[in-house]
Amino acid sequence: MSRGQRIAGGIERFLANSGLAGDILDTILEWVRAENKPGGKQYPWGNLLFTIGDAFGDRQEAILQVAVAMELYALAADIFDDIEDQDNNQLPWRTIPATKAINTANLILFLSFKALAAIKDHARYRQANEIFQTMGITACHGQNQEFLYEKLDSITIDQYFDAIGKKSGALTAGACKFAGVLAGCDARLIPDLEKFGQNLGIISQIKNDLQDLFQVEAKSDLKLGKKTLPLVYLANILKENKEKTEELNQLCSPARREFLEFGPTETDRLRRFIIQEGAAHYCSVICAYFKQEAVEILDTMNITEEQKRKLSTLVEN
């Protein structure tokens, strides 16, 4: 049985024993499958937890319980995010009234905490629960900063990294801490695992920022005024060049105004500008920096070379 099948089976067994029945149970299972459909990254949070758990011990049952909790938490977060951004209209939670989707997402969020409570070791459960709550609070704080930044004309590079370090970095940092705690690794390694995980989250967010900006027709980042890294970089690097700044504003303006079309032609013009002005290259360099930092964190950890090898696969993926 593959790791993905184990995680899927764990989620299905948990939901079957959760007390839910009928349409709501079928709906949640449908949404879990839509989130992890073939062709994409299936059960990324569970796979992250298992990779770290495998590096430090063989407590797969405990890891599976947290994998179920983390996958459900991430699903709820993605649903809220899609509703807030009016994004990913093809997904099932975007094809029903928002009020119903929000209520179901709240249910999934509470189910994630119930899944976490299945950890039998009381001391480890208390640690995991503290990590889970801190992770959620930090991520919501980062999301709130992002909302505030949408109203500003521009932000600094430091402000960008502060926000995504909380919003995106907190989830992967929390997942890495979970796995380390449950696998019984040396407590002195937990801060390093947390920092390692935060780097993984930042790398993922930068990749998403660039990808979404190249898919303006389908994504709402530009329309909502989100301060993605390519645009933050361009706003800062071009601020003394009025001509280039005006060109960037003109390229972005159709996506920001109601009833104006932003199709393949407009996307291609914006893509070429992003590449020509070095924003795409800058994002690649920054990703490489955080990858190198993640590798250096592993190098300083007092673990075996085989453990480092297993963890380093997460940096490349």
Side-chain angles (χ1 to χ4, degrees), residues 39-257:
K41 285 191 174 181
Q42 293 184 288
Y43 306 103
W45 298 103
N47 277 292
L48 172 61
L49 288 160
F50 270 111
T51 299
I52 295 173
D54 287 347
F56 289 103
D58 188 25
R59 300 183 183 181
Q60 294 196 3
E61 191 55 38
I63 296 291
L64 180 59
Q65 292 164 352
V66 178
V68 170
M70 192 72 201
E71 288 291 346
L72 291 173
Y73 177 93
L75 173 57
D78 283 346
I79 294 166
F80 288 131
D81 197 51
D82 286 346
I83 294 170
E84 289 164 355
D85 294 349
Q86 297 291 289
D87 223 349
N88 291 319
N89 296 333
Q90 77 284 1
L91 291 171
W93 48 85
R94 293 287 290 121
T95 63
I96 63 174
T99 50
K100 185 176 180 181
I102 290 169
N103 182 69
T104 306
N106 276 322
L107 172 57
I108 295 169
L109 184 61
F110 281 112
L111 285 168
S112 73
F113 278 92
K114 184 171 183 176
L116 193 71
I119 298 172
K120 294 184 176 66
D121 185 306
H122 185 64
R124 284 207 170 102
Y125 166 68
R126 289 188 62 182
Q127 282 182 284
N129 189 49
E130 174 64 26
I131 294 168
F132 211 56
Q133 292 187 40
T134 300
M135 176 188 74
I137 291 167
T138 306
C140 288
H141 183 193
Q143 180 78 67
N144 187 261
Q145 282 181 251
E146 192 174 83
F147 290 148
L148 293 174
Y149 291 161
E150 287 173 11
K151 300 176 182 178
L152 303 179
D153 291 334
S154 64
I155 62 171
T156 66
I157 299 288
D158 286 343
Q159 285 176 310
Y160 168 85
F161 281 112
D162 181 54
I164 69 160
K166 294 185 179 82
K167 178 190 170 185
S168 303
L171 298 184
T172 44
C176 290
K177 287 179 72 176
F178 277 141
V181 167
L182 293 175
C185 78
D186 189 327
R188 290 171 294 184
L189 297 175
I190 298 297
D192 289 329
L193 282 175
E194 181 178 18
K195 180 62 177 173
F196 175 74
Q198 186 175 50
N199 277 31
L200 296 182
I202 292 172
I203 292 165
S204 179
Q205 184 62 58
I206 294 170
K207 289 180 177 178
N208 286 342
D209 279 1
L210 190 57
Q211 181 180 348
D212 290 353
L213 198 54
F214 285 166
Q215 298 177 0
V216 181
E217 313 101 295
K219 304 295 289 186
S220 63
D221 286 0
L222 194 55
K223 179 179 179 181
L224 295 174
K226 286 185 178 292
K227 301 302 185 286
T228 58
L229 185 57
L231 293 183
V232 171
Y233 169 78
L234 288 173
N236 280 272
I237 205 72
L238 300 177
K239 60 185 176 183
E240 302 301 328
N241 189 325
K242 293 183 179 179
E243 183 178 335
K244 289 287 186 181
T245 299
E246 180 59 28
E247 184 178 356
L248 177 62
N249 289 334
Q250 288 178 356
L251 289 169
C252 294
S253 63
R256 292 172 176 163
R257 296 177 187 171

